[in-house]
Amino acid sequence: MEKTKHKRSASFWLCIALVLCLISCIGASLLQTDFGNVQIIKFKIPTDNGKWLSGNLFRPVSATAENKVPIVITSHGYLNNNQMQDISAIELSRRGIAVIAMDAYFHGDSSSTQYSYEDSGVIEGMGMIPLVEYAYSQLDWVDNTKIGVMGHSMGGSNTWNTARHYGRLYMQALEDAQAPGSDGGETITEEEQAYADSVNKVAAAFPTSSVRNTTDEVMAEIHCNFGTNFGFYDEGAYRCVNGDGDLHDAPEALAIVNSILPESEKLTDTIEIGKMYGDPANDTLRVVYNPHEIHPWQHFSTESAGYTVDFFTTAFQMENPIPSSNQYWLWKELFNCIGLVGAALLIVPLATLLLKVPCFASLAGEEPKKLPALTTAKSKAFFWGSWCLSWIVSWLSFIPIGKLDQYIFPSVTARGTSNWFPQPTTNFILLWAVFNGIVGLALFWLSYKFVGSKNGVVPSEMWGIKISLKDFFKTLALAICVFIGFYATVMFSQYFFQTDYRIWTLDIRAFTVDKLYVALQYWPLFFVFYLANSISINSSSRVEGQKEGFNLFICALGNSLGVIILNAIQYGTVFATGIPHWQEDWLRPLVIVPLIVQLFVAAYIGRYLFKRTGKVWLGAMVNTLIIVMMGVANTCTFLPL
């Protein structure tokens, strides 16, 4: 009777999950296409030396060879992918500006390069420069006089490098035009000026979260409308000349504005934040925005989205019938989040139904007995002490253990390519996870040795750890089936609707074959962590006398609390002082923010699958496969070209 109930419940929740995913796809698709007014095309184009670039092209349906439109090429930041620029793409395209949201080299579905990471950024703008050439020469519906570039963080650096690249070409053309042997001698002819204008293919540039190293000499190479948006609380602001993110009196901001002012009018003390200096008609527009935002919030902000719209519509001298405050993107993100919830809800019912399939039916089992109630002071002290120690170790070990990556994976940490463990972010998270997995297993054993064994704990009846080799591999096969079913919905959403499941930096996206190759390297080692986690939640924390809901919540909270405290310290310091607590490693706390949700949900998945099988293994395997792939698909990969 109980098994029939589980099956009916599983069918119901699976249907709910799939309906949520479908609602997510339809709603997000309608909003990101402006209800059919924008066409989204996933592209993959070859560049030189066997490289390729991928991303999404947002093309207003009104764009034709007879009705040309401006275009903006936008780049995500380090460790991200093109979907992180959906906000800019949606808000610009619905206003008649086409957008290429690119996957930079080493990221998303784009290739690596024959250059180093640093050289690729300078020489090709991580792929932005080839895409400017592509838009200029291959898209006959693009207004070649109105090509813009923008990007966040690393993408901002790409924007700087691209604008400077074309500025140098422009200056070289004028220098050649003034050579004594040129057509006009030392006088620049109309034809020579026209040629110089034609090689300067960028009309507007708007780097976000990237002002470091801005000097008068750098700005002298910029010959287009230019603006920047830098967060007042940006974690990297300590590297600015003034040591903070306040740009109103920053030398970097003064250099940007002064680049178009005559010597007698140059500003010496402050600029006016948000004021548009210069004239877009002659490529001298300059503007500096400085919202009270942290680094990652700048690509998830209505204020910053409004600045992007204001800058490009002004730079392109467009009449903008839609106010910059009128934005769709947040609703689209909410629909993406519905899909995220649906995907999470899908896992347990899918596994439950697969346990009814004859080849997996033998894996179904009863939930083992709970551990004896905490009736003594010693047992309570060990229970809560172990709980506290687990997240304290998680918090304190993250930075020092993660930094061992420079010794264990030196090439990749230095952003060099490798066929093995080629993801720097995944590497330092891996080291932290394995360390905490070992600590977790040690705490489990010590708790049993000093308390459990003397308090009626019977491992064979209460732990759910013992498993035959045959059942281990059958469980692995079942976990793989769950993984395939889970990602089938993600592939469906991308193929038919060009959407994924996400909220801010937490993302489930489709992956390519190379990411599967990478995941295969990481899965076995991460399994140590998720197995220890499943044992902690199910074999050492389920006790009599605690309500199931409370017990499961504290297990989930314990999973995430170390990461929460780490980021609370980091951003509490940022908001209090303007600089991060961990400066040199300021990106590391940021990139594990998704783990707060992932680890919290992992506890529930692990517990419910434990209830279905009576073993810790299925939950550990499913969590390993899905959470590791979420990370692998959403960061940079330094595989050789």
Side-chain angles (χ1 to χ4, degrees):
M1 186 69 178
E2 186 67 22
K3 292 182 178 181
T4 303
K5 179 181 176 182
H6 279 320
K7 184 175 181 180
R8 290 175 181 171
S9 177
S11 299
F12 172 79
W13 284 108
L14 182 62
C15 289
I16 293 294
L18 293 175
V19 167
L20 289 176
C21 291
L22 186 59
I23 290 172
S24 169
C25 293
I26 294 172
S29 178
L30 287 173
L31 289 164
Q32 70 183 7
T33 60
D34 192 25
F35 299 94
N37 292 315
V38 174
Q39 180 185 16
I40 299 178
I41 303 165
K42 184 172 177 61
F43 68 85
K44 180 179 177 181
I45 61 172
T47 55
D48 61 357
N49 296 312
K51 304 191 297 292
W52 67 86
L53 289 163
S54 67
N56 286 333
L57 170 61
F58 291 69
R59 173 182 176 175
V61 296
S62 60
T64 64
E66 293 73 35
N67 181 41
K68 297 180 185 291
V69 300
I71 193 168
V72 170
I73 298 157
T74 181
S75 172
H76 55 82
Y78 182 54
L79 312 175
N80 294 144
N81 50 67
N82 76 82
Q83 283 93 341
M84 292 300 288
Q85 291 297 297
D86 277 358
I87 294 168
S88 299
I90 291 167
E91 296 305 330
L92 291 174
S93 63
R94 63 186 286 250
R95 290 168 171 84
I97 301 173
V99 177
I100 292 177
M102 61 181 280
D103 285 328
Y105 287 132
F106 302 108
H107 294 74
D109 298 335
S110 290
S111 71
S112 56
T113 81
Q114 76 272 31
Y115 306 117
S116 69
Y117 173 89
E118 288 77 12
D119 289 343
S120 181
V122 173
I123 297 170
E124 297 187 79
M126 295 294 280
M128 184 175 278
I129 292 171
L131 286 174
V132 170
E133 297 294 330
Y134 175 77
Y136 188 91
S137 61
Q138 300 297 317
L139 303 179
D140 63 359
W141 43 268
V142 166
D143 182 344
N144 285 343
T145 67
K146 295 180 178 178
I147 295 178
V149 291
M150 68 167 291
H152 175 260
S153 192
M154 178 197 76
S157 296
N158 299 340
T159 303
W160 278 99
N161 288 330
T162 300
R164 292 174 68 186
H165 168 79
Y166 287 104
R168 287 192 291 266
L169 292 180
Y170 175 79
M171 292 172 63
Q172 185 62 53
L174 292 183
E175 184 179 331
D176 293 344
Q178 293 176 300
S182 64
D183 290 345
E186 295 183 1
T187 301
I188 300 174
T189 67
E190 290 186 8
E191 290 79 10
E192 289 171 330
Q193 182 64 56
Y195 173 74
D197 291 337
S198 71
V199 299
N200 188 18
K201 296 173 183 176
V202 169
F206 191 62
T208 299
S209 300
S210 177
V211 295
R212 189 163 60 104
N213 300 325
T214 306
T215 62
D216 294 335
E217 292 73 22
V218 168
M219 287 307 302
E221 295 180 335
I222 303 291
H223 292 277
C224 65
N225 292 318
F226 188 90
T228 190
N229 181 16
F230 189 79
F232 190 92
Y233 292 113
D234 193 287
E235 299 90 315
Y238 71 91
R239 299 175 296 180
C240 294
V241 173
N242 287 349
D244 59 37
D246 184 355
L247 294 191
H248 87 282
D249 61 348
E252 294 90 345
L254 286 164
I256 291 171
V257 174
N258 283 335
S259 65
I260 50 96
L261 297 178
E263 195 65 36
S264 61
E265 298 178 18
K266 289 187 184 296
L267 305 175
T268 57
D269 297 317
T270 63
I271 67 160
E272 185 177 338
I273 299 296
K275 177 181 177 179
M276 293 194 175
Y277 295 85
D279 183 359
N282 57 24
D283 296 334
T284 59
L285 172 66
R286 298 289 185 269
V287 61
V288 175
Y289 298 108
N290 194 204
H292 283 60
E293 297 171 352
I294 60 174
H295 188 87
W297 198 252
Q298 288 206 270
H299 52 56
F300 201 78
S301 158
T302 55
E303 184 177 0
S304 287
Y307 293 152
T308 299
V309 169
D310 288 339
F311 173 76
F312 281 110
T313 53
T314 303
F316 293 148
Q317 303 171 70
M318 298 174 62
E319 292 185 9
N320 180 18
I322 307 175
S324 59
S325 59
N326 182 333
Q327 299 178 17
Y328 279 174
W329 70 266
L330 185 55
W331 292 104
K332 181 260 183 185
E333 289 282 337
L334 290 174
F335 273 105
N336 285 150
C337 187
I338 290 172
L340 195 68
V341 173
L345 286 177
L346 175 145
I347 295 170
V348 173
L350 177 59
T352 302
L353 291 174
L354 286 172
L355 284 167
K356 303 297 179 181
V357 176
C359 62
F360 297 129
S362 63
L363 298 176
E366 298 297 328
E367 180 182 1
K369 295 178 182 179
K370 292 184 177 182
L371 303 184
L374 306 175
T375 57
T376 66
K378 186 177 181 181
S379 63
K380 291 177 182 179
F382 260 86
F383 179 87
W384 290 108
S386 297
W387 182 80
C388 290
L389 189 59
S390 65
W391 59 258
I392 289 172
V393 170
S394 172
W395 152 39
L396 293 177
S397 65
F398 178 74
I399 296 296
I401 294 297
K403 291 183 76 166
L404 294 176
D405 63 348
Q406 60 190 308
Y407 305 107
I408 299 174
F409 310 104
S411 175
V412 175
T413 303
R415 298 178 180 179
T417 59
S418 173
N419 280 310
W420 298 101
F421 302 99
Q423 295 188 332
T425 304
T426 312
N427 287 347
F428 68 73
I429 295 174
L430 171 67
L431 296 177
W432 169 77
V434 170
F435 174 79
N436 278 270
I438 293 171
V439 170
L441 291 173
L443 287 174
F444 169 67
W445 174 250
L446 290 172
S447 178
Y448 171 69
K449 181 176 179 61
F450 290 103
V451 179
S453 62
K454 300 175 177 61
N455 196 36
V457 172
V458 182
S460 61
E461 297 179 3
M462 299 175 179
W463 284 358
I465 294 176
K466 187 176 181 180
I467 189 172
S468 67
L469 188 62
K470 178 181 177 182
D471 281 351
F472 175 87
F473 284 109
K474 286 178 70 174
T475 303
L476 177 59
L478 174 56
I480 291 171
C481 289
V482 173
F483 173 82
I484 292 171
F486 177 86
Y487 268 99
T489 68
V490 182
M491 303 292 186
F492 173 87
S493 68
Q494 177 183 286
Y495 186 82
F496 290 101
F497 297 96
Q498 291 297 333
T499 66
D500 57 2
Y501 306 141
R502 70 165 56 241
I503 188 71
W504 194 26
T505 57
L506 177 62
D507 183 21
I508 309 170
R509 74 187 301 262
F511 58 85
T512 49
V513 173
D514 63 314
K515 300 302 188 298
L516 185 60
Y517 163 75
V518 172
L520 284 167
Q521 299 178 29
Y522 288 107
W523 276 329
L525 291 171
F526 269 105
F527 182 65
V528 175
F529 173 78
Y530 287 105
L531 176 60
N533 187 255
S534 186
I535 290 173
S536 173
I537 291 164
N538 299 305
S539 304
S540 67
S541 297
R542 288 181 318 117
V543 295
E544 292 285 358
Q546 283 186 356
K547 292 184 178 180
E548 176 68 9
F550 172 76
N551 179 264
L552 191 44
F553 174 78
I554 62 171
C555 287
L557 181 62
N559 269 5
S560 301
L561 202 51
V563 181
I564 292 171
I565 291 175
L566 186 83
N567 277 279
I569 292 172
Q570 179 78 330
Y571 288 101
T573 307
V574 167
F575 292 129
T577 67
I579 58 175
H581 179 77
W582 291 281
Q583 294 182 14
E584 182 182 346
D585 301 297
W586 66 271
L587 268 176
R588 297 198 176 201
L590 168 62
V591 300
I592 62 168
V593 168
L595 277 176
I596 294 173
V597 178
Q598 290 170 335
L599 293 178
F600 192 89
V601 174
Y604 284 84
I605 292 171
R607 176 64 62 83
Y608 283 119
L609 294 181
F610 181 78
K611 288 175 175 288
R612 302 293 184 270
T613 62
K615 304 289 184 184
V616 299
W617 299 94
L618 181 59
M621 291 176 181
V622 168
N623 282 328
T624 300
L625 292 174
I626 291 176
I627 296 175
V628 172
M629 180 53 80
M630 287 175 66
V632 165
N634 280 288
T635 189
C636 63
T637 306
F638 289 124
L639 283 172
L641 180 64

